[in-house]
Amino acid sequence: MNPVLTNTTLRELPEYLIQDYLNGRASETERKIVESLMNLPENSEKLKFASENLLTKPGDSRVERLMSIAQMYSVPASRDLHEDQDVEPAAGQIWSISQFLNGAPRNSYLPIAQTQYIFILTNPLSLSEVLEKQPTGLRLAVDDQFVEYLPVSMHTEFANQYDLIFPSENSILDVEFMIMTEINSTTLCSNLANYFGTLNEEETEKLLNLYFYTQKMGHDYELLSNTLTGSEHYNPESSIVEYKKIEFQNSQIISEPVEDMMAYLEGLGIVVVSKQIYDRQKYSLAASTVTVMVADIEPEERYFLYRDTRISIAVNEYKEHGYYFNVVVTKEACPALFTFKVTSRSENKMVLEIPENKPDEYFFSFYKDFKSGIFTIEITSEGKELLSADFSITIDGQ
């Protein structure tokens, strides 16, 4: 195998990182990455070998080491990287992926050891809206927005006819790189790390034309002939093919949180809450600021925030009465009394807290001063946490 290919899988630890870890020079973040990935088959032997044959002495200067890394991996190490997190993700931009991935509630992922760059192909979409097939006033969960992307790589020696090559000294990464149009994947917007730049109109036109050509969707032949790509003449057993396989595997790692989030949201829509609650047709009211009985009123809209066989939280919108939290807690989840608490994470930090509720169905009115934003919802009983999660709620008219 081409030696470069040994350091292109996202969870294979590069030699310099292993050396820093063994020499005690790794940062806290680097240490966490190494210790999370060190027991993977592709890393355990490398660590064992490196511990017996330290290649870099502890006394070597950090500057020399960084220069060596930059030459070895062709990454833009000497460049001032963009760290402006006020940039909103949008089609046409190039970003890096966070090394610590997050996804659906209660899911965890191994970190990635290599920096991965991507080209954003679509504007952000909400997974909950995609699943509902229509726009909603409420997003069902925090950070469920995603984008489609194409991988970006500095290893242009593996380019084929489906890869758009950008010459060195470009305005985005400063080093030669390529965007691969064969691999179309997805990532959660919450896993985007740093923004590097946006393709100009001419570059975008060439890229989309090449993408259409790759996907057999029709293209401009003349424009394609003036587009810098890799060669279409290579052996099926070549390193180019092997590299593409690795990049496809990397794309699956990055898209895993999207698939998990989709499964989580789909689960909220198909799991039926304990039928016992509804059979009794017994409704109680614990109002926060008003005392309007809404149990017998059909809401204009209902948006489920959380739903399993023991606990359900929805937001009901009533034309005349505004928004209510519709909360169901079963005896299976809570044999004693429970406290329902909603904390607005806006500047005013407003809290709605309703204690001593028996397991049943309730309608808790919003505070009139609640504004669109992120809310932490907690359900506790006798000091035990039954549910704690963050949700993004958009209130109409705000």
Side-chain angles (χ1 to χ4, degrees):
M1 177 186 290
N2 186 309
V4 176
L5 294 179
T6 63
N7 282 112
T8 53
T9 55
L10 288 182
R11 289 191 171 132
E12 182 171 352
L13 294 168
E15 281 74 7
Y16 77 87
L17 191 55
I18 292 174
Q19 294 296 318
D20 274 3
Y21 176 79
L22 294 175
N23 287 324
R25 297 190 304 205
S27 67
E28 182 64 18
T29 297
E30 291 171 332
R31 183 187 64 77
K32 289 180 180 179
I33 291 174
V34 173
E35 292 179 354
S36 297
L37 301 174
M38 63 192 309
N39 293 322
L40 294 179
E42 58 265 38
N43 294 321
S44 57
E45 285 300 317
K46 293 176 71 173
L47 271 158
K48 180 181 177 182
F49 177 82
S51 63
E52 298 171 351
N53 305 274
L54 289 178
L55 301 179
T56 307
K57 297 179 181 179
D60 287 353
S61 77
R62 183 169 179 81
V63 173
E64 290 178 353
R65 185 174 61 85
L66 287 174
M67 290 178 63
S68 174
I69 293 168
Q71 292 173 355
M72 184 182 303
Y73 295 101
S74 299
V75 298
S78 62
R79 173 182 173 81
D80 291 331
L81 303 182
H82 294 272
E83 294 184 355
D84 182 2
Q85 296 309 301
D86 292 333
V87 176
E88 293 294 328
Q93 299 172 345
I94 290 182
W95 287 70
S96 63
I97 294 292
S98 172
Q99 289 188 278
F100 292 92
L101 302 174
N102 64 79
R106 297 181 295 280
N107 282 43
S108 60
Y109 307 89
L110 290 174
I112 60 177
Q114 312 283 342
T115 300
Q116 177 67 49
Y117 302 90
I118 65 167
F119 169 82
I120 297 181
L121 192 59
T122 65
N123 287 327
L125 293 171
S126 169
L127 277 170
S128 54
E129 292 188 0
V130 170
L131 292 171
E132 290 290 331
K133 301 289 191 287
Q134 59 185 359
T136 61
L138 305 171
R139 285 178 53 210
L140 297 183
V142 173
D143 295 335
D144 72 334
Q145 288 195 316
F146 75 103
V147 291
E148 291 189 31
Y149 77 85
L150 303 176
V152 172
S153 172
M154 266 62 78
H155 292 292
T156 55
E157 67 270 28
F158 300 124
N160 65 15
Q161 73 271 32
Y162 304 118
D163 302 321
L164 178 60
I165 297 175
F166 291 75
S168 59
E169 300 183 1
N170 57 77
S171 62
I172 298 179
L173 294 179
D174 280 350
V175 296
E176 185 174 85
F177 70 93
M178 65 181 177
I179 298 178
M180 296 175 278
T181 63
E182 287 179 287
I183 304 171
N184 187 348
S185 189
T186 58
T187 186
L188 291 176
C189 291
S190 59
N191 287 325
L192 296 174
N194 291 318
Y195 163 76
F196 288 88
T198 302
L199 268 59
N200 61 36
E201 185 176 347
E202 180 183 353
E203 293 166 340
T204 301
E205 185 179 12
K206 287 184 177 181
L207 177 63
L208 292 179
N209 188 59
L210 180 61
Y211 176 74
F212 293 151
Y213 167 70
T214 303
Q215 305 300 325
K216 298 180 171 56
M217 297 164 60
H219 62 282
D220 184 320
Y221 288 90
E222 184 177 353
L223 182 59
L224 183 63
S225 66
N226 294 316
T227 301
L228 180 59
T229 65
S231 172
E232 60 180 316
H233 303 292
Y234 54 89
N235 191 303
E237 304 297 325
S238 69
S239 296
I240 292 179
V241 175
E242 187 64 27
Y243 180 75
K244 298 298 181 179
K245 290 179 181 178
I246 292 172
E247 282 295 335
F248 177 74
Q249 293 169 358
N250 289 341
S251 74
Q252 292 180 306
I253 291 173
I254 295 172
S255 67
E256 183 181 357
V258 180
E259 296 168 2
D260 289 347
M261 180 67 79
M262 183 172 290
Y264 169 75
L265 294 174
E266 286 178 329
L268 296 183
I270 62 175
V271 177
V272 178
V273 181
S274 177
K275 191 171 183 292
Q276 176 185 0
I277 292 292
Y278 293 102
D279 281 347
R280 287 183 287 148
Q281 293 295 305
K282 178 182 177 182
Y283 297 97
S284 300
L285 173 68
S288 56
T289 58
V290 295
T291 54
V292 177
M293 182 63 71
V294 296
D296 296 324
I297 303 174
E298 186 68 24
E300 296 289 323
E301 297 287 350
R302 172 176 292 171
Y303 310 100
F304 282 100
L305 301 179
Y306 181 86
R307 206 183 209 188
D308 62 25
T309 57
R310 306 187 311 155
I311 295 174
S312 171
I313 302 175
V315 173
N316 290 0
E317 180 183 355
Y318 301 91
K319 186 175 181 179
E320 302 294 332
H321 308 298
Y323 291 95
Y324 278 71
F325 289 105
N326 181 197
V327 181
V328 178
V329 177
T330 66
K331 288 184 177 180
E332 291 82 1
C334 172
L337 302 179
F338 72 89
T339 295
F340 178 73
K341 181 178 179 181
V342 181
T343 304
S344 168
R345 288 169 54 182
S346 59
E347 291 183 2
N348 59 14
K349 297 291 183 184
M350 183 167 287
V351 177
L352 162 65
E353 184 170 2
I354 305 173
E356 300 185 352
N357 305 287
K358 294 181 179 180
D360 211 323
E361 179 171 22
Y362 296 87
F363 295 84
F364 301 131
S365 172
F366 277 35
Y367 277 134
K368 60 182 177 57
D369 292 330
F370 270 168
K371 304 296 183 182
S372 297
I374 306 297
F375 294 78
T376 299
I377 298 179
E378 300 168 279
I379 297 179
T380 57
S381 177
E382 297 182 331
K384 181 181 178 182
E385 182 182 281
L386 305 182
L387 175 69
S388 179
D390 290 339
F391 300 91
S392 175
I393 299 179
T394 302
I395 300 173
D396 285 346
Q398 295 184 10

